[in-house]
């Protein structure tokens, strides 16, 4: 601190001494504040240094965990490929044999087989056929996870139109009204997105089979720059209580006797959508239909502002 001057008189010199002493006091105050500020700054620098060291440690730990998880994922993928190979070669052959011998019995011994035996053989062949479909579904699910993901512009309207056309050719007797938005653009893997639409439109087609005036709508909505695609139908619908089971493999909300299927299609769809950085969900009501929504992380120019093209599939 600065030394104070001694005031010896009350004249102008004394006034100057008072001013000088006040200035020294102010300097001492400011010096104290500066020292306190420097001390706080030193503590902040020390704390920031400790925080930076902690961040570096956490980053190193995260990189180690990512490396370990990547290694685990690669191992799991190799195991999945081995499993797929085993399923494809080791399970299909016995099924083909069972089905083939069942058919041979029916064809080679038509007069020696009792009616009950024919019924049993038909049930055996039906079961092997369904098992084959389940195996094929599992293989498709595995392929979706393994194959490299392309990223390029995709015209979902064109894909949807082709899917509808294929369904019409397979079931020309069906009368179904199809409302399809034109200009639905997206960015992603064309083959995988086709699988998405084949499953969603195929489900809408299937679950409107018992509806008096079946209708399917395929479109897109835009909200704050985000595009949500949807497939809507007025078919059987389902109970939303069980909506969490929709996208699990082998999960079914309808009996096979009512609507055929393996229960793997929606699991495949969800995996593809997730690989595109999007999400999928559904809304439905029993007897009033269902609508499936999905988003993609890389979506193109949406169709919300593009005129809708209504098509009628009259078989």
């Amino acid at each position: 601190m600065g030394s104070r001057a001694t005031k010896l008189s009350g004249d102008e010199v004394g006034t100057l001494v008072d001013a000088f002493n006040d200035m020294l006091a102010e300097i001492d105050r400011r010096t104290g504040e500066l020292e306190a500020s420097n001390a706080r700054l030193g503590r902040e620098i020390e704390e920031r240094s400790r925080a930076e060291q902690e961040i570096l440690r956490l980053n190193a730990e995260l990189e180690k965990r990512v490396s370990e998880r990547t290694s685990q994922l690669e191992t799991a993928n190799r195991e999945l490929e081995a499993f797929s190979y085993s399923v494809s070669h080791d399970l299909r052959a016995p099924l083909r044999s069972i089905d083939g011998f069942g058919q041979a019995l029916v064809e080679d011994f038509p007069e020696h087989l009792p009616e009950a035996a024919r019924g049993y053989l038909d049930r055996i062949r039906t079961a092997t056929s369904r098992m084959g479909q389940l195996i094929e579904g599992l293989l498709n699910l595995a392929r979706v996870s393994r194959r490299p993901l392309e990223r390029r512009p995709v015209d979902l309207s064109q894909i949807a139109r082709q899917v509808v056309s294929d369904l019409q050719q397979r079931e020309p007797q069906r009368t179904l009204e199809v409302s399809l938005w034109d200009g639905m653009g997206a960015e992603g893997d064309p083959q995988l997105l086709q699988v998405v639409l084949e499953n969603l439109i195929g489900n809408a087609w299937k679950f409107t089979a018992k509806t008096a005036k079946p209708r399917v709508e395929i479109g897109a909505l835009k909200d704050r720059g985000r595009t949500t695609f949807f497939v809507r139908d007025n078919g059987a619908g389902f109970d939303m209580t069980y909506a969490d089971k929709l996208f699990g493999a082998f999960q079914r909300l309808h009996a096979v006797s009512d609507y055929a299927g393996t229960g793997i299609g929606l699991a495949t769809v969800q995996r593809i959508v997730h690989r595109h950085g999007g999400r999928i969900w559904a809304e439905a009501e029993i007897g009033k239909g269902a609508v499936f929504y999905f988003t993609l992380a890389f979506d193109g120019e949406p169709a919300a502002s593009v005129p809708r093209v209504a098509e009628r599939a009259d078989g």
Side-chain angles (χ1 to χ4, degrees), residues 238-253 263-264 266-267 270 292:
F238 57 85
D239 187 345
M240 286 294 292
T241 304
Y242 307 103
D244 58 330
K245 296 183 177 181
L246 276 174
F247 302 102
F250 304 114
Q251 297 291 336
R252 295 181 53 88
L253 301 186
I264 300 178
L266 288 179
Q270 184 187 59
F292 283 83

Side-chain angles (χ1 to χ4, degrees), residues 46 54-55 64 68 80 94 142 173 194 234 241 268 290 298 307:
E46 185 178 352
E54 181 65 12
I55 290 173
K64 180 181 178 182
E68 291 174 351
L80 180 60
Q173 74 281 3
Q194 179 169 343
N234 63 343
T241 304
T268 303
F298 356 101

Side-chain angles (χ1 to χ4, degrees), residues 222-285:
K222 183 178 180 181
D223 180 25
R224 288 172 291 186
R226 184 73 168 179
T227 306
T228 299
F229 304 97
F230 67 87
V231 177
R232 186 194 314 273
D233 68 71
N234 63 343
F238 57 85
D239 187 345
M240 286 294 292
T241 304
Y242 307 103
D244 58 330
K245 296 183 177 181
L246 276 174
F247 302 102
F250 304 114
Q251 297 291 336
R252 295 181 53 88
L253 301 186
H254 300 87
V256 177
S257 57
D258 294 331
Y259 298 97
T262 60
I264 300 178
L266 288 179
T268 303
V269 168
Q270 184 187 59
R271 189 160 298 185
I272 293 172
V273 169
H274 285 178
R275 288 198 64 191
H276 281 76
R279 68 187 189 97
I280 182 168
W281 68 100
E283 296 176 0
E285 188 174 349

Side-chain angles (χ1 to χ4, degrees), residues 100-113 118 121:
F101 282 119
Q103 183 177 0
L105 283 172
V106 174
E107 294 177 351
D108 296 346
F109 304 97
E111 299 178 357
H112 299 82
L113 283 177
R118 288 178 178 273
L121 285 172

